[in-house]
Amino acid sequence: MPRFLVLLFAVACGAAVANIYYAQPLLDDLAVAFGMAHATIGIVITVTQICYAMGLILLVPLGDRVNQRRLILGQMLLSALSLAAVGLAPTSAVLLAGIAAVGLLAVVTQTLVAYAATLASAAERGRVIGLVTSGIVIGILLARTVAGVMTDLAGWRSVYLGSAALTLLMVGILYRSLPNAVKRDGAPLSYARLLRSVFLLLAQERILRIRGVLALLIFTAFSTLWTSLVLPLGAPPLSLTHSEIGAFGLAGVAGALAAAKAGRLADRGRGQRTTGVALGLLLASWLPIGFAERSLGVLIVGIVVLDFAVQAVHVTNQSLILSVRPESRSRLTAVYMVFYSIGSAAGSIASTAIYAYEGWTGVCLFGAAVSACALLFWAWTRR
C-alpha cells in the first residue's frame, strides 16, 4: 500500500473514533446548556457506549457483505449529519438522539481497519495495522484535549460542528483516494445469516477467543489508568488543572507511536514473542505509575511504558486475527472489538470504585493484578 493511503486510513480512523470521546470533558457544559442535573448527565456517555457496542455487532459485519468503500463513505456522511445535529441541538432529546447516532456510526473506524487489512499484502499487513491503530490511539488520547481547548475558545457546540466539517472533508478525500473493494466469490450472505456467522466465528476460531480475552484484559488495565488518573492528579497536594491533566495524553501518544513497530515484528512471525515482552512491560509499568502522587516524572515514564505495551499487544492481536479468514475480516474485527469494549467498561467502573475505598495504591494493585492475569493467560495458551 502507498504510504499516503496508510496515513489517510490512520487519520480517518483517529478522527472517527474521537467523536465518542469528545463529550467526556464537556459534561458540565452540557448539563448547564440543557438544564440537566449533574447526577444524570452521565447518560450522554452511557448512550454513546451502548450504541457503539450495537454498531460493532450490527454494522461492522456488513463489510463482509457489501462494498466496503461505499459502506465507509455512507457511514461517514451520516456521521457528519449526526455531529451537526448534536452541535445544533435545541433540546436534550435531540442531543441524546444525535449522540446515539454518533456512537452507532463511530464503528466506521473498525470497518476502516478491516478494509486496510484487506488492501495490504500479507507481508506488510502487520505494519499497516500498526500504523492505522496508532492513528486510533492518538485520536482517543487527544479527543479530550481538543474538546477542552475548543470549548474554551468557542463553546462546546464548536467541538461537534468542527468535527462535522472535518468528517465531510475526510469523505471528500476518501472518495478520491480509496480504491474499489475486492470482489467476493459466491453469493453474499443474507443479513440474518451474516449476524449468526459472527457467533460461529467465535466458536470456531481458537485464536480469536484467545486474543479476544487478551484484549479484554489489557484494555481493562488501560481503562483503569486513564479513567481514574484524573482523581489523584486533580486532588491535593497536586491539584492540577484540567488542561494540565489533559497534557498527560501526550505521553500516551508517544507510547502509541512506538507501538506501531509491533506490526513489523508480527509480519516477521514474532507475534507471540512480542506479546510476551509487551505483557511483561505492562505489568512492570504499574510500579512507576504508583508514584503518581509523589513524582510526575516517574508517572510519565509509567504511562509511556503502559501505552506502548497495550498497543503492541493490540496491534499483534489484530494482525494475527485478520490473517485467519480473509473473507471474514469485518466480522472478526467486530467480535474482537466487543472484547475490547467489555474490558474498557470494566476498567472504568472498577477503577473509580476502588479509588473511593483504597485510593491510588488500590487502583495500581488492581491494574497490576489484571496485567499479571494477562501475562499468565498468554503463557498458558501460547501453544
Side-chain angles (χ1 to χ4, degrees):
M1 289 179 65
R3 187 170 183 82
F4 163 76
L5 189 58
V6 179
L7 293 177
L8 180 59
F9 270 104
V11 173
C13 285
V17 78
N19 291 329
I20 61 176
Y21 292 93
Y22 285 138
Q24 291 184 353
L26 306 180
L27 292 181
D28 286 344
D29 297 272
L30 294 175
V32 173
F34 293 97
M36 300 175 68
H38 284 80
T40 60
I41 192 62
I43 193 175
V44 171
I45 305 300
T46 303
V47 167
T48 305
Q49 294 296 334
I50 290 175
C51 290
Y52 183 79
M54 290 174 58
L56 290 174
I57 299 299
L58 299 177
L59 296 182
V60 175
L62 285 172
D64 292 332
R65 184 176 186 271
V66 302
N67 184 298
Q68 286 176 302
R69 181 175 180 271
R70 294 177 184 172
L71 180 64
I72 290 167
L73 294 175
Q75 287 186 352
M76 292 189 73
L77 277 173
L78 291 174
S79 183
L81 292 175
S82 302
L83 289 162
V86 173
L88 299 172
T91 65
S92 59
V94 176
L95 171 73
L96 292 175
I99 282 290
V102 168
L104 185 72
L105 295 165
V107 297
V108 69
T109 305
Q110 306 311 323
T111 305
L112 283 161
V113 172
Y115 194 33
T118 297
L119 295 176
S121 66
E124 65 175 354
R125 185 167 295 122
R127 178 184 67 85
V128 169
I129 292 174
L131 289 171
V132 174
T133 300
S134 292
I136 295 174
V137 177
I138 292 170
I140 293 172
L141 294 175
L142 294 186
R144 301 172 183 86
T145 303
V146 170
V149 171
M150 291 188 67
T151 300
D152 289 340
L153 293 176
W156 70 268
R157 293 182 185 274
S158 68
V159 176
Y160 289 97
L161 295 176
S163 183
L166 176 61
T167 302
L168 285 176
L169 176 62
M170 291 304 307
V171 168
I173 297 174
L174 290 172
Y175 178 80
R176 296 178 62 88
S177 304
L178 285 184
N180 286 322
V182 178
K183 293 183 178 179
R184 299 179 177 84
D185 298 327
L189 293 173
S190 67
Y191 184 61
R193 290 183 62 192
L194 186 75
L195 294 184
R196 284 199 298 270
S197 69
V198 170
F199 300 97
L200 288 176
L201 283 172
L202 181 61
Q204 293 168 355
E205 296 297 339
R206 180 175 183 268
I207 191 170
L208 178 59
R209 296 193 299 273
I210 290 174
R211 291 289 160 168
V213 172
L214 283 176
L216 187 152
L217 292 171
I218 63 172
F219 281 102
T220 298
F222 181 84
S223 185
T224 293
L225 171 67
W226 287 107
T227 299
S228 58
L229 184 61
V230 65
L231 301 176
L233 295 184
L238 295 174
S239 300
L240 300 183
T241 66
H242 287 292
S243 298
E244 291 170 335
I245 294 172
F248 280 84
L250 298 175
V253 170
L257 289 173
K261 297 181 179 179
R264 299 177 185 271
L265 295 175
D267 289 336
R268 298 171 186 167
R270 299 178 183 175
Q272 284 286 14
R273 183 180 302 177
T274 301
T275 302
V277 172
L279 290 175
L281 290 173
L282 178 62
L283 177 58
S285 70
W286 288 101
L287 180 59
I289 290 172
F291 285 86
E293 296 171 314
R294 304 187 199 107
S295 173
L296 295 181
V298 175
L299 169 64
I300 290 172
V301 172
I303 289 175
V304 172
V305 174
L306 181 140
D307 273 48
F308 171 82
V310 168
Q311 301 312 322
V313 178
H314 183 42
V315 169
T316 305
N317 284 350
Q318 291 181 298
S319 180
L320 295 174
I321 289 171
L322 295 178
S323 299
V324 176
R325 297 195 186 188
E327 77 283 0
S328 304
R329 288 195 174 113
S330 291
R331 283 167 286 174
L332 291 168
T333 300
V335 175
Y336 175 77
M337 290 304 298
V338 168
F339 283 96
Y340 166 106
S341 298
I342 294 172
S344 295
S348 297
I349 295 170
S351 61
T352 51
I354 292 172
Y355 185 85
Y357 290 98
E358 301 296 335
W360 187 242
T361 299
V363 170
C364 292
L365 289 175
F366 173 74
V370 172
S371 303
C373 287
L375 182 60
L376 292 173
F377 180 78
W378 166 80
W380 180 51
T381 59
R382 64 177 301 183
R383 69 177 177 81

